[in-house]
Amino acid sequence: MSDGIRRIIAILVLVAGAALLWVTGNSSHSAEAANNEIRATVAANQELAAANDPRLKQAGRFEQGGWVYVHLEGDPATIGFQHGFLLAPEIEDAFPAVSANMMHNTQRDWAFFRQTAREMLWPKIDPEYQQELRGIAEGLHARTGSKLDVFDIVALNSFEEVPDYYVPWLNKQEKLAHAPNLKSPGNCSAFVATGSWTKDGQIVMAHNNWTNYMNGERWRIIFDIKPEHGFRVLMDGFPGVIASDDDFGINSNGMMATETTISQFEGWDPKGKPEFMRARKALQYAGSIDEYTKIMLDGNNGGYANDWLLGDRKTGEIAQLELGLKAYKLWRSKDGVFAGSNWARDPKVLKEDTPEFEPNNKETSPNARRVRWEQLLDEHRGKIDVALAQQMLGDHLDTFENKEDANERVLCGHVDASQRGVAIWAWGAAYPGGAVQGKAADSNMAKEMRLSARVGHPCGQDFLAKPFLDAHPDYAWQKPYLHDMKAGPWTEFRSGEVSSIAR
Ligand SMILES: [Zn+2]
């Protein structure tokens, strides 16, 4: 049994004991309060019994630097059960926030997302991942008695692809009058470099996640997964979701992968396989750039369309896979750098998949950041390492105005500080979104299954919810879900930390 589980049991025993004392010590309490206490005690006992489940034996969790690290190990159903059980508090916190955002933006109810999950996504999910998703619902239920079922979990897993890719496509198909203004998001700033660009000639990869702060403050899980089949995986991720989804990960066969989304992407294939499954599968099973590309292309549904930045530490080669739906392009290099900040560059992808994107408009966030990446990477050519990459992720130079300003046009985005918002993503004035955390790794770290990660803005600034909500009543609907997003320190994690500290 891991220390994490022991701690949980110890806390539960204390809670149950305190509840019992309270019940026996207060003769004047109401019958309702007594019932609540009894229910809490029963639930605590259930949780205690569940914590002894043999499926949890190989798993564990700890918290460090603002991150929650979980080690998951076993067959797919077991990995899912461990995920649902160990991250139950985080899933129960994240689910209401994510689902509220999905419903608010699309003006569709939760039944719609469950139906989409059940009828369109589920039949296209490989049995291995179906078992893992069922396991998450089961583990969650075992811990908290949660009523969320596997289709709620699948809908949660689709939060990056269904609301902003499928729904706008569907609205168009249905010729919906007054359809909400939905745009594919601009998520993330990232690069991968190799050869003469880096200090040691090996690969350096870095990424900061851009999203709304409501989701972003919860994107603080480090998953160390030892699956029954495929390679061992170390990645950041979101509670309840089987893919990294922002994405940043490495596997034990030398693959390093990250991405940034393609702004103003349009298109969806209802017969395709969910992106969240293909992304997880690629990280778990690909041992080369070719294999990674093949898995991402197999059943491409157009969801969460990204420019994938890849590295293979075995060969020192890097690649950029610009994965449109109608078109795609793969560039590769053993001596180069690929950066991403939500723009497409292949003429065919631009024409067929992002017809409205203006690559030459220097004022927009993707293009302003593109210029900044070119400046920074050129300036540091031959010196790039993880420490420099961490600094770059926190950069605040706005190339359009040519001045330091933490706004929507800088690599470390602070859209809440901009009255312009980001219209091409349908982010309004002072939209509470931007860079929410960062990660970096190099070939040596990948070889040892290590990565460096920081929660909150990579520059180290805190976002505080109350003053923001007081100043911006337009976002009052987020009040139940939006919390402070405080920056943590850069923290290193490695595969196997739980087994070494807890057993
Ligand atoms: Zn910043």
Side-chain angles (χ1 to χ4, degrees):
M1 189 185 300
S2 75
D3 268 6
I5 304 297
R6 280 200 196 92
R7 265 198 302 276
I8 291 164
I9 292 173
I11 290 164
L12 289 172
V13 168
L14 282 175
V15 169
L20 199 66
L21 274 177
W22 191 88
V23 170
T24 52
N26 289 272
S27 54
S28 60
H29 65 268
S30 69
E32 193 192 336
N35 279 335
N36 286 342
E37 291 306 328
I38 289 163
R39 269 199 294 276
T41 308
V42 168
N45 283 332
Q46 271 172 357
E47 185 169 340
L48 213 156
N52 287 318
D53 191 300
R55 285 172 286 185
L56 295 168
K57 217 171 138 190
Q58 303 297 326
R61 76 171 258 172
F62 67 89
E63 295 180 33
Q64 195 180 340
W67 294 90
V68 181
Y69 176 109
V70 287
H71 171 71
L72 313 178
E73 179 173 344
D75 60 54
T78 300
I79 282 178
F81 185 86
Q82 294 165 348
H83 180 163
F85 190 92
L86 293 173
L87 292 176
E90 286 75 20
I91 296 170
E92 295 223 319
D93 165 65
F95 183 82
V98 171
S99 54
N101 198 45
M102 289 165 79
M103 292 186 281
H104 179 89
N105 292 348
T106 59
Q107 298 167 23
R108 302 224 177 210
D109 62 13
W110 191 247
F112 165 80
F113 291 102
R114 281 179 51 85
Q115 187 188 1
T116 301
R118 191 173 60 242
E119 293 175 6
M120 183 170 61
L121 305 177
W122 181 255
K124 305 295 192 309
I125 298 175
D126 291 355
E128 166 176 2
Y129 299 111
Q130 287 184 342
Q131 288 161 22
E132 186 169 326
L133 290 157
R134 279 192 199 283
I136 293 173
E138 204 183 320
L140 179 63
H141 179 79
R143 173 91 176 265
T144 69
S146 167
K147 297 278 186 289
L148 298 181
D149 69 11
V150 66
F151 299 115
D152 294 310
I153 299 298
V154 174
L156 171 69
N157 273 260
S158 75
F159 80 100
E160 287 293 353
E161 56 194 295
V162 163
D164 293 331
Y165 295 80
Y166 172 54
V167 175
W169 175 87
L170 184 65
N171 289 344
K172 226 169 166 177
Q173 300 285 310
E174 294 176 341
K175 299 190 169 53
L176 193 73
H178 315 296
N181 180 22
L182 293 167
K183 301 266 190 241
S184 66
N187 288 358
C188 317
S189 303
F191 77 85
V192 61
T194 192
S196 63
W197 289 79
T198 63
K199 197 173 174 180
D200 67 358
Q202 301 296 306
I203 297 170
V204 176
M205 178 174 86
H207 176 271
N208 68 32
N209 174 355
W210 283 50
T211 185
N212 63 70
Y213 295 154
M214 217 164 64
N215 292 350
E217 77 195 35
R218 295 169 165 94
W219 219 306
R220 54 183 196 97
I221 313 297
I222 300 290
F223 286 98
D224 171 33
I225 307 177
K226 191 175 178 187
E228 191 179 29
H229 301 293
F231 305 114
R232 191 155 179 165
V233 164
L234 184 68
M235 65 186 195
D236 78 318
F238 196 88
V241 176
I242 64 170
S244 165
D245 225 25
D246 68 325
D247 290 72
F248 191 92
I250 55 184
N251 77 24
S252 57
N253 198 24
M255 285 307 295
M256 305 165 71
T258 190
E259 45 82 355
T260 78
T261 55
I262 299 175
S263 291
Q264 293 177 292
F265 176 90
E266 295 174 29
W268 179 268
D269 181 355
K271 296 190 195 73
K273 299 178 183 177
E275 191 276 348
F276 71 80
M277 183 196 74
R278 289 179 290 119
R280 163 61 187 281
K281 190 174 175 176
L283 194 58
Q284 183 176 338
Y285 285 98
S288 68
I289 289 165
D290 288 320
E291 287 174 9
Y292 201 98
T293 302
K294 195 177 159 205
I295 295 170
M296 292 310 297
L297 283 169
D298 176 26
N300 181 11
N301 67 347
Y304 202 34
N306 288 309
D307 268 281
W308 289 89
L309 304 180
L310 308 172
D312 182 347
R313 68 154 177 80
K314 303 186 296 299
T315 60
E317 189 177 25
I318 59 169
Q320 177 178 3
L321 170 63
E322 191 159 283
L323 188 58
L325 179 60
K326 300 189 182 87
Y328 75 94
K329 170 94 178 172
L330 180 69
W331 295 269
R332 33 202 320 167
S333 175
K334 287 191 176 174
D335 185 16
V337 61
F338 297 120
S341 52
N342 317 122
W343 37 268
R345 66 181 169 118
D346 177 61
K348 201 157 183 264
V349 172
L350 282 167
K351 185 161 173 266
E352 297 185 12
D353 288 309
T354 69
E356 291 189 5
F357 183 69
E358 300 173 284
N360 299 317
N361 180 352
K362 302 288 185 216
E363 195 173 347
T364 64
S365 172
N367 296 327
R369 284 181 290 140
R370 182 178 184 171
V371 171
R372 186 56 181 155
W373 268 140
E374 284 163 9
Q375 291 174 350
L376 274 175
L377 294 165
D378 276 343
E379 184 186 330
H380 296 294
R381 183 170 183 165
K383 292 175 288 185
I384 297 169
D385 61 8
V386 166
L388 260 177
Q390 291 170 343
Q391 267 181 43
M392 294 186 211
L393 293 179
D395 188 79
H396 286 169
L397 194 103
D398 173 348
T399 58
F400 184 72
E401 297 200 358
N402 199 23
K403 65 172 190 193
E404 289 277 328
D405 185 18
N407 63 28
E408 87 285 12
R409 285 196 287 250
V410 299
L411 294 175
C412 179
H414 296 251
V415 186
D416 54 304
S418 167
Q419 281 311 304
R420 295 177 294 264
V422 184
I424 61 170
W425 309 332
W427 284 16
Y431 184 86
V436 296
Q437 39 99 312
K439 291 85 47 191
D442 62 18
S443 287
N444 288 327
M445 293 169 76
K447 191 173 184 184
E448 294 161 5
M449 294 294 283
R450 292 186 284 133
L451 61 79
S452 174
R454 176 178 212 176
V455 292
H457 286 297
C459 62
Q461 285 183 20
D462 293 335
F463 167 79
L464 301 176
K466 190 174 184 306
F468 173 83
L469 289 167
D470 288 348
H472 302 97
D474 282 3
Y475 297 104
W477 72 271
Q478 295 193 1
K479 198 172 177 182
Y481 318 108
L482 187 68
H483 304 144
D484 292 347
M485 186 178 75
K486 294 196 171 169
W490 279 103
T491 307
E492 192 172 294
F493 296 97
R494 71 166 68 216
S495 235
E497 280 190 80
V498 164
S499 46
S500 64
I501 62 163
R503 283 202 297 274

